[in-house]
């Protein structure tokens, strides 16, 4: 290792420790610097018909095709780590498209709701909401969740240990875990690590190229619209006013980059989802998120604030180590 690489190694390691600790302790994960526009998605539930007549909605197919090279390929046989006796394995259920799994990062959720004497049949595209202040990123003990300057919340799958803290603090339980994959297999497979967490990354590679996420591109009804976040917010308000409807995602979890507009109240939608979810067998009910209105951000609670302070040093150390490894490999 030459003198310049040594200097870079130590500089980035120390900077990573300091930055990660301060950011996590403050409960506000800093995004990359720059003047890049933040993006959002407007989802009009009056337009989505679930791609009636098709076995799988177009947005779901597009997501699966685009991300199949990122899907987990677990090591066999999968071994639980002590003291665990179970693990999450969806590798034999790759075909499932009616819920979120490590192999299905978006799906369309059908619900039936009665409102003002009418019955509404709605189809709701579901995936990561890409929150403004994501607790999954701020409370990841390994520092592998990040919110990009474009607004996407992403997981560094190469270094995720699958602890599932991100799912625990997400009000929609969005990230899903697959065992038998990940860096833990090279570190302490019998002592720690549950696999890797997977979820929608907003097709951040396409967004950085100025393109729309694959699900948006594929929607035949134009129910999903992608663009500058504030423009998407305005579109949502305009549409809600036109149909005397309701907005979801603007204030939930402290604010998100995804804005749904519905002709019926979301508390009724949530109730319908939960009733249907209870009928599903375990573990199939995992990956079926609700839509509770005004759901709070865990970081705003006393427990969430305390967790941020407790996790910060650990996450900082992990982030520093990961940065050192990336530096050694010549990665960003």
């Amino acid at each position: 290792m030459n003198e310049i690489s040594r200097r870079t190694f130590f500089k980035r390691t120390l900077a990573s420790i300091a930055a990660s600790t301060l950011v996590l302790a403050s409960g506000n994960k800093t995004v990359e610097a720059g003047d890049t526009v933040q993006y959002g998605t407007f989802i009009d539930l009056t337009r989505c018909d679930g791609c009636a007549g098709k076995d799988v909605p177009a947005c779901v197919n597009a997501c699966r095709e685009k991300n199949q090279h990122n899907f987990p390929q677990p090591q066999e046989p999968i071994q639980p780590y002590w003291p665990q006796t179970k693990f999450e394995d969806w590798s034999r259920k790759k075909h499932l498209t009616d819920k979120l799994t490590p192999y299905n990062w978006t799906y369309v959720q059908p619900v039936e709701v009665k409102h003002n004497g009418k019955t509404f049949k709605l189809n709701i595209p579901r995936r990561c909401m890409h929150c403004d202040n994501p607790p999954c990123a701020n409370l990841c003990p390994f520092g592998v969740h990040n919110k990009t300057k474009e607004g996407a919340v992403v997981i560094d799958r190469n270094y995720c240990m699958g602890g599932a803290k991100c799912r625990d603090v997400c009000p929609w339980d969005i990230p899903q875990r697959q065992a038998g994959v990940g860096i833990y297999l090279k570190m302490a497979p019998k002592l720690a690590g549950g696999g890797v967490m997977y979820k929608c990354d907003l097709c951040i590679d396409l967004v950085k190229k100025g393109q729309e996420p694959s699900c948006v591109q594929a929607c035949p009804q134009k129910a999903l619209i992608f663009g500058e976040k504030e423009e998407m917010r305005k579109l949502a308000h305009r549409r809600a006013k036109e149909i005397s409807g309701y907005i979801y995602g603007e204030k939930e979890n402290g604010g998100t980059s995804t804005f749904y507009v519905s002709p019926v109240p979301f508390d009724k939608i949530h109730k319908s989802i939960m009733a249907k979810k209870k009928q599903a067998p375990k573990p199939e009910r995992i990956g079926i998120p609700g839509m509770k209105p005004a759901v709070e951000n865990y970081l705003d609670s006393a427990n969430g604030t305390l967790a941020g302070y407790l996790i910060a040093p650990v996450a900082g150390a992990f982030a520093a180590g990961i940065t050192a490894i990336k530096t050694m490999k010549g990665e960003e």
Side-chain angles (χ1 to χ4, degrees):
M1 187 183 295
N2 59 37
E3 191 64 31
I4 294 178
S5 61
R6 280 201 193 95
R7 188 181 302 116
T8 300
F9 174 88
F10 288 115
K11 180 179 179 180
R12 292 186 181 180
T13 299
L14 293 173
S16 179
I17 293 174
S20 299
T21 301
L22 288 173
V23 168
L24 285 166
S26 68
N28 186 10
K29 193 100 170 194
T30 303
V31 299
E32 301 171 37
D35 298 324
T36 303
V37 172
Q38 287 215 351
Y39 294 93
T41 310
F42 163 47
I43 303 177
D44 188 344
L45 298 186
T46 67
R47 287 182 174 273
C48 181
D49 63 356
C51 290
K54 293 186 178 181
D55 292 335
V56 180
C59 60
V60 178
N61 257 335
C63 178
R64 289 171 70 90
E65 290 177 5
K66 195 268 179 186
N67 291 297
Q68 59 183 335
H69 66 286
N70 290 319
F71 291 161
Q73 298 181 8
Q75 171 182 295
E76 297 288 352
I78 299 175
Q79 299 290 336
Y81 66 92
W82 184 89
Q84 303 295 325
T85 58
K86 298 180 180 180
F87 51 82
E88 294 179 39
D89 179 19
W90 294 89
S91 61
R92 291 173 177 79
K93 299 179 180 180
K94 298 177 183 179
H95 64 283
L96 294 179
T97 57
D98 61 347
K99 59 182 54 63
L100 299 175
T101 78
Y103 301 90
N104 199 63
W105 301 357
T106 185
Y107 83 104
V108 177
Q109 194 172 49
V111 297
E112 190 171 299
V113 179
K114 291 184 178 180
H115 180 58
N116 290 339
K118 298 180 180 180
T119 298
F120 292 80
K121 293 183 178 180
L122 303 175
N123 294 278
I124 311 173
R126 304 303 304 271
R127 41 86 162 152
C128 178
M129 299 287 285
H130 299 286
C131 301
D132 296 341
N133 185 24
C136 61
N138 287 285
L139 297 177
C140 174
F142 308 111
V144 297
H145 278 63
N146 293 281
K147 185 172 179 66
T148 72
K149 57 189 177 183
E150 294 83 6
V153 179
V154 300
I155 301 173
D156 189 335
R157 294 182 294 273
N158 292 324
Y159 299 98
C160 176
M161 293 282 284
K165 182 66 176 178
C166 54
R167 184 170 61 192
D168 293 342
V169 299
C170 173
W172 304 284
D173 304 324
I174 296 294
Q176 300 301 315
R177 176 166 56 188
Q178 174 61 46
V181 291
I183 195 172
Y184 86 94
L185 294 173
K186 298 179 181 179
M187 298 174 62
K190 295 182 180 180
L191 298 176
V196 174
M197 307 303 294
Y198 293 86
K199 72 172 189 66
C200 160
D201 61 5
L202 201 62
C203 292
I204 186 61
D205 55 333
L206 298 183
V207 172
K208 286 184 176 181
K209 296 176 184 177
Q211 301 175 33
E212 296 176 331
S214 57
C215 60
V216 176
Q217 294 183 42
C219 181
Q221 302 297 331
K222 302 301 179 184
L224 288 79
I225 301 177
F226 184 78
E228 293 187 17
K229 180 180 174 181
E230 290 310 309
E231 288 302 313
M232 296 303 100
R233 190 197 307 274
K234 291 177 182 177
L235 280 178
H237 277 273
R238 189 181 309 152
R239 182 57 176 158
K241 185 177 181 179
E242 289 174 355
I243 65 172
S244 298
Y246 306 83
I247 297 176
Y248 190 87
E250 183 177 29
K251 298 180 180 179
E252 281 71 22
N253 204 34
T256 79
S257 298
T258 306
F259 309 104
Y260 290 90
V261 171
S262 165
V264 303
F266 282 95
D267 58 341
K268 293 186 176 182
I269 290 177
H270 178 68
K271 184 178 180 179
S272 178
I273 293 172
M274 291 297 100
K276 190 173 182 179
K277 182 174 181 176
K278 288 181 180 179
Q279 299 174 3
K282 294 181 180 181
E284 272 65 24
R285 65 181 62 176
I286 295 176
I288 301 178
M291 296 195 86
K292 182 179 179 181
V295 63
E296 296 182 353
N297 190 309
Y298 183 70
L299 292 170
D300 294 331
S301 68
N303 288 340
T305 301
L306 178 60
Y309 279 101
L310 294 176
I311 289 174
V314 177
F318 269 99
I322 290 171
T323 299
I325 293 172
K326 288 183 175 181
T327 302
M328 295 284 285
K329 290 182 175 181
E331 301 176 7
E332 289 186 12

